[in-house]
Short mmCIF file of all heavy atoms in Angstrom, two decimals:
data_model
loop_
_atom_site.label_atom_id
_atom_site.label_comp_id
_atom_site.label_asym_id
_atom_site.label_seq_id
_atom_site.Cartn_x
_atom_site.Cartn_y
_atom_site.Cartn_z
N ALA A 176 95.67 46.60 42.76
CA ALA A 176 95.08 45.90 43.88
C ALA A 176 94.14 46.79 44.70
O ALA A 176 93.01 46.41 45.05
CB ALA A 176 96.15 45.34 44.85
N MET A 177 94.56 48.05 44.86
CA MET A 177 93.75 48.99 45.65
C MET A 177 92.56 49.49 44.87
O MET A 177 91.47 49.74 45.41
CB MET A 177 94.59 50.10 46.24
CG MET A 177 95.59 49.51 47.30
SD MET A 177 96.41 50.74 48.29
CE MET A 177 95.19 51.10 49.54
N GLN A 178 92.78 49.63 43.56
CA GLN A 178 91.60 50.02 42.69
C GLN A 178 90.58 48.93 42.75
O GLN A 178 89.37 49.22 42.89
CB GLN A 178 92.10 50.26 41.28
CG GLN A 178 92.67 51.62 41.06
CD GLN A 178 92.75 51.91 39.57
OE1 GLN A 178 91.78 51.76 38.83
NE2 GLN A 178 93.88 52.38 39.15
N LYS A 179 91.01 47.68 42.60
CA LYS A 179 90.09 46.56 42.65
C LYS A 179 89.34 46.51 43.95
O LYS A 179 88.16 46.15 44.03
CB LYS A 179 90.86 45.24 42.46
CG LYS A 179 90.65 44.60 41.09
CD LYS A 179 91.30 43.26 41.04
CE LYS A 179 92.13 43.16 39.75
NZ LYS A 179 93.17 42.13 39.81
N ALA A 180 90.07 46.89 45.02
CA ALA A 180 89.43 46.87 46.37
C ALA A 180 88.57 48.11 46.59
O ALA A 180 88.02 48.29 47.70
CB ALA A 180 90.49 46.73 47.45
N GLY A 181 88.43 48.97 45.59
CA GLY A 181 87.49 50.11 45.67
C GLY A 181 88.08 51.39 46.19
O GLY A 181 87.33 52.29 46.51
N PHE A 182 89.39 51.54 46.32
CA PHE A 182 89.96 52.78 46.82
C PHE A 182 89.93 53.79 45.66
O PHE A 182 90.06 53.46 44.50
CB PHE A 182 91.41 52.59 47.29
CG PHE A 182 91.47 51.73 48.58
CD1 PHE A 182 91.62 50.35 48.54
CD2 PHE A 182 91.36 52.33 49.82
CE1 PHE A 182 91.63 49.57 49.69
CE2 PHE A 182 91.35 51.61 50.98
CZ PHE A 182 91.52 50.20 50.90
N SER A 183 89.85 55.08 46.04
CA SER A 183 89.69 56.14 45.02
C SER A 183 91.08 56.48 44.41
O SER A 183 92.12 56.35 45.09
CB SER A 183 89.08 57.40 45.58
OG SER A 183 90.00 58.03 46.45
N HIS A 184 91.07 56.96 43.17
CA HIS A 184 92.31 57.39 42.50
C HIS A 184 93.00 58.47 43.29
O HIS A 184 94.23 58.49 43.47
CB HIS A 184 92.01 57.96 41.10
CG HIS A 184 91.75 56.87 40.07
ND1 HIS A 184 92.70 56.09 39.59
CD2 HIS A 184 90.56 56.50 39.52
CE1 HIS A 184 92.18 55.24 38.73
NE2 HIS A 184 90.88 55.48 38.68
N LYS A 185 92.16 59.40 43.79
CA LYS A 185 92.74 60.54 44.52
C LYS A 185 93.49 60.08 45.75
O LYS A 185 94.62 60.46 46.02
CB LYS A 185 91.54 61.44 44.96
CG LYS A 185 91.96 62.79 45.47
CD LYS A 185 90.68 63.50 45.85
CE LYS A 185 90.93 64.79 46.55
NZ LYS A 185 90.52 65.97 45.75
N PHE A 186 92.89 59.11 46.46
CA PHE A 186 93.54 58.58 47.69
C PHE A 186 94.80 57.83 47.30
O PHE A 186 95.86 57.96 47.96
CB PHE A 186 92.54 57.65 48.40
CG PHE A 186 93.08 57.08 49.68
CD1 PHE A 186 93.29 57.89 50.79
CD2 PHE A 186 93.40 55.75 49.75
CE1 PHE A 186 93.84 57.37 51.99
CE2 PHE A 186 93.94 55.20 50.95
CZ PHE A 186 94.13 56.01 52.04
N ILE A 187 94.72 57.02 46.26
CA ILE A 187 95.89 56.25 45.88
C ILE A 187 97.06 57.16 45.44
O ILE A 187 98.17 56.95 45.89
CB ILE A 187 95.53 55.22 44.72
CG1 ILE A 187 94.57 54.19 45.27
CG2 ILE A 187 96.81 54.54 44.15
CD1 ILE A 187 93.99 53.25 44.16
N ASN A 188 96.70 58.22 44.69
CA ASN A 188 97.79 59.11 44.25
C ASN A 188 98.32 60.02 45.35
O ASN A 188 99.49 60.36 45.33
CB ASN A 188 97.27 59.98 43.10
CG ASN A 188 97.03 59.13 41.83
OD1 ASN A 188 97.67 58.11 41.66
ND2 ASN A 188 96.06 59.55 41.03
N GLU A 189 97.49 60.43 46.24
CA GLU A 189 97.91 61.45 47.20
C GLU A 189 98.36 60.84 48.57
O GLU A 189 99.02 61.50 49.34
CB GLU A 189 96.75 62.40 47.50
CG GLU A 189 96.46 63.30 46.29
CD GLU A 189 95.42 64.36 46.54
OE1 GLU A 189 94.91 64.47 47.67
OE2 GLU A 189 95.10 65.05 45.58
N VAL A 190 97.94 59.58 48.83
CA VAL A 190 98.33 59.01 50.17
C VAL A 190 99.17 57.75 49.96
O VAL A 190 100.20 57.60 50.58
CB VAL A 190 97.03 58.74 51.01
CG1 VAL A 190 97.43 58.09 52.34
CG2 VAL A 190 96.33 60.09 51.31
N VAL A 191 98.67 56.83 49.12
CA VAL A 191 99.37 55.55 48.93
C VAL A 191 100.71 55.79 48.21
O VAL A 191 101.77 55.33 48.67
CB VAL A 191 98.45 54.55 48.20
CG1 VAL A 191 99.22 53.25 47.94
CG2 VAL A 191 97.16 54.30 48.97
N CYS A 192 100.64 56.56 47.15
CA CYS A 192 101.87 56.77 46.34
C CYS A 192 103.02 57.40 47.17
O CYS A 192 104.15 56.93 47.13
CB CYS A 192 101.54 57.64 45.10
SG CYS A 192 102.97 57.94 44.10
N PRO A 193 102.73 58.47 47.97
CA PRO A 193 103.85 59.01 48.82
C PRO A 193 104.42 58.00 49.77
O PRO A 193 105.63 58.06 50.03
CB PRO A 193 103.14 60.17 49.57
CG PRO A 193 102.03 60.55 48.63
CD PRO A 193 101.52 59.29 48.02
N ALA A 194 103.62 57.08 50.26
CA ALA A 194 104.14 56.04 51.19
C ALA A 194 105.10 55.09 50.43
O ALA A 194 106.09 54.64 50.96
CB ALA A 194 102.99 55.27 51.80
N MET A 195 104.74 54.84 49.13
CA MET A 195 105.66 53.90 48.34
C MET A 195 106.94 54.68 48.07
O MET A 195 108.03 54.10 48.07
CB MET A 195 104.98 53.58 47.00
CG MET A 195 103.60 52.94 47.09
SD MET A 195 103.59 51.43 48.05
CE MET A 195 102.45 51.86 49.37
N ARG A 196 106.82 56.01 47.79
CA ARG A 196 108.00 56.78 47.42
C ARG A 196 108.95 56.96 48.61
O ARG A 196 110.17 56.86 48.48
CB ARG A 196 107.61 58.15 46.86
CG ARG A 196 107.03 58.02 45.47
CD ARG A 196 106.35 59.32 44.99
NE ARG A 196 107.21 60.46 45.01
CZ ARG A 196 108.07 60.78 44.00
NH1 ARG A 196 108.17 60.01 42.94
NH2 ARG A 196 108.82 61.89 44.10
N VAL A 197 108.36 57.18 49.86
CA VAL A 197 109.27 57.39 50.98
C VAL A 197 109.98 56.09 51.35
O VAL A 197 111.16 56.07 51.71
CB VAL A 197 108.54 57.98 52.19
CG1 VAL A 197 107.53 57.03 52.80
CG2 VAL A 197 109.51 58.44 53.29
N ASN A 198 109.28 54.94 51.19
CA ASN A 198 109.86 53.66 51.66
C ASN A 198 110.65 52.95 50.54
O ASN A 198 111.71 52.37 50.86
CB ASN A 198 108.79 52.76 52.15
CG ASN A 198 108.33 53.15 53.55
OD1 ASN A 198 109.10 53.76 54.34
ND2 ASN A 198 107.08 52.88 53.89
N TYR A 199 110.20 52.98 49.34
CA TYR A 199 110.88 52.20 48.30
C TYR A 199 111.33 53.04 47.11
O TYR A 199 111.80 52.43 46.10
CB TYR A 199 110.00 51.01 47.86
CG TYR A 199 109.87 49.98 48.96
CD1 TYR A 199 108.75 50.00 49.80
CD2 TYR A 199 110.90 49.09 49.21
CE1 TYR A 199 108.70 49.06 50.85
CE2 TYR A 199 110.85 48.17 50.22
CZ TYR A 199 109.71 48.17 51.09
OH TYR A 199 109.67 47.26 52.12
N GLY A 200 111.20 54.31 47.18
CA GLY A 200 111.70 55.24 46.13
C GLY A 200 111.02 54.98 44.77
O GLY A 200 111.50 55.37 43.72
N GLN A 201 109.88 54.28 44.82
CA GLN A 201 109.18 53.89 43.60
C GLN A 201 107.69 54.22 43.80
O GLN A 201 107.25 54.32 44.98
CB GLN A 201 109.37 52.42 43.29
CG GLN A 201 110.84 52.02 43.03
CD GLN A 201 111.15 50.56 43.25
OE1 GLN A 201 110.79 49.72 42.43
NE2 GLN A 201 111.84 50.27 44.38
N GLY A 202 106.96 54.33 42.70
CA GLY A 202 105.55 54.72 42.81
C GLY A 202 104.60 53.56 43.01
O GLY A 202 104.97 52.46 43.50
N ILE A 203 103.37 53.73 42.56
CA ILE A 203 102.29 52.76 42.77
C ILE A 203 102.36 51.61 41.74
O ILE A 203 101.44 50.78 41.70
CB ILE A 203 100.91 53.41 42.71
CG1 ILE A 203 100.80 54.36 41.47
CG2 ILE A 203 100.64 54.22 44.01
CD1 ILE A 203 99.45 54.97 41.33
N SER A 204 103.46 51.50 41.03
CA SER A 204 103.59 50.33 40.14
C SER A 204 104.36 49.21 40.77
O SER A 204 104.65 48.23 40.14
CB SER A 204 104.26 50.75 38.82
OG SER A 204 105.55 51.25 39.11
N ILE A 205 104.66 49.31 42.06
CA ILE A 205 105.37 48.21 42.77
C ILE A 205 104.38 47.14 43.07
O ILE A 205 103.13 47.39 43.12
CB ILE A 205 106.15 48.67 44.02
CG1 ILE A 205 105.20 49.14 45.17
CG2 ILE A 205 107.05 49.85 43.69
CD1 ILE A 205 105.97 49.50 46.42
#
Side-chain angles (χ1 to χ4, degrees):
M177 292 191 81
Q178 277 195 48
K179 253 186 229 159
F182 291 93
S183 72
H184 283 287
K185 191 182 176 112
F186 181 71
I187 294 173
N188 292 333
E189 293 185 0
V190 176
V191 176
C192 180
M195 305 302 119
R196 286 168 60 82
V197 68
N198 283 331
Y199 291 98
Q201 298 158 73
I203 48 178
S204 60
I205 69 177

